[in-house]
Amino acid sequence: MAPRTLAALALVLVAAVGLAAFHFWSVRPQGVRAPETVEAGAAAVAEDPLRATGADPVPRPVAGAPPSPPPEPVGEIVVDVSGKVHRPGVQRLPAGSRVADALRAAGGVRAGTDVTGLNRARVLMDGEQVAVGLPQAPAALDATGGAAGAPGTAGPAALLSLSAATKEQLETLPGVGPVLAQHIIDHRTENGGFRSVDELRQVNGIGDRRFADLRPLVQP
């Protein structure tokens, strides 16, 4: 064969071998790397399967949200417990307390005291007075000699006599406790009774405001 022909055949063989090698290299199997986001998601699902469905059984606080305010403190009321209790006087109780709570705070009712007319389940109001076992004030007589304020008759409300009322009866007046009731009795003993309601101003512990509250409820 001529040298030219041999050279052409050699060139064809080299090209064929190169083409075969390139084809073999291009079709070989290769490993594929998963994207990072997919791998991170798979790891999260493996750690907490509930997150994959969007369910989160444990509520998490929102970043930057202000903390919940603490519950407001319970209010307080002040009542005056007078009469036949072991520790009469002003008592401070939680708001919503009942008469029974005020009696316990005052040491309980004295033995033998009749509390039939006392509603111990009643809710107390701030500033009120609870009188225990005290007799009703005697009714004042009207001009005809009958009891004023009796059922079926017209007349003014019964007034408490400052010169004749007992200590327990004086304690039924608003703002009058055992100490102030004793001051009233001491004053009338020293002065032979009350000649006018205005003499209450001379009693130790009675100021202008308390006198204004007592004046329409009493008589000399």
Side-chain angles (χ1 to χ4, degrees):
M1 298 178 65
R4 217 175 210 188
T5 304
L6 290 175
L9 288 175
L11 184 59
V12 171
L13 288 175
V14 171
V17 172
L19 182 60
F22 175 80
H23 178 73
F24 176 80
W25 180 263
S26 63
V27 298
R28 80 185 192 285
Q30 296 180 0
V32 179
R33 178 180 178 82
E36 293 184 1
T37 55
V38 176
E39 291 180 356
V45 171
E47 180 181 353
D48 190 356
L50 292 177
R51 290 188 180 180
T53 61
D56 193 354
V58 180
R60 292 173 171 77
V62 180
S68 300
E72 296 183 0
V74 179
E76 187 181 64
I77 61 173
V78 181
V79 297
D80 182 16
V81 184
S82 61
K84 297 182 179 181
V85 292
H86 292 286
R87 295 192 301 270
V90 175
Q91 305 293 339
R92 297 181 179 274
L93 301 170
S97 297
R98 301 178 184 271
V99 173
D101 300 321
L103 297 182
R104 281 193 295 269
V109 180
R110 297 178 188 173
T113 303
D114 183 14
V115 292
T116 304
L118 189 63
N119 182 7
R120 285 169 284 185
R122 180 174 59 83
V123 178
L124 294 168
M125 302 296 292
D126 183 51
E128 75 169 281
Q129 184 182 47
V130 179
V132 182
L134 300 181
Q136 297 294 328
L141 299 180
D142 57 17
T144 61
T153 62
L159 301 179
L160 187 64
S161 174
L162 295 173
S163 299
T166 64
K167 181 180 179 181
E168 288 77 11
Q169 290 172 340
L170 291 171
E171 290 178 10
T172 62
L173 296 171
V176 178
V179 175
L180 186 54
Q182 188 60 49
H183 287 171
I184 295 174
I185 293 176
D186 293 342
H187 178 84
R188 79 186 184 193
T189 301
E190 295 174 0
N191 296 275
F194 285 85
R195 288 175 292 276
S196 69
V197 177
D198 291 339
E199 291 184 18
L200 271 178
R201 294 179 179 270
Q202 304 173 12
V203 176
N204 184 24
I206 297 182
D208 293 340
R209 182 175 180 179
R210 184 162 296 174
F211 175 75
D213 294 338
L214 297 176
R215 184 171 188 176
L217 304 177
V218 297
Q219 61 180 349

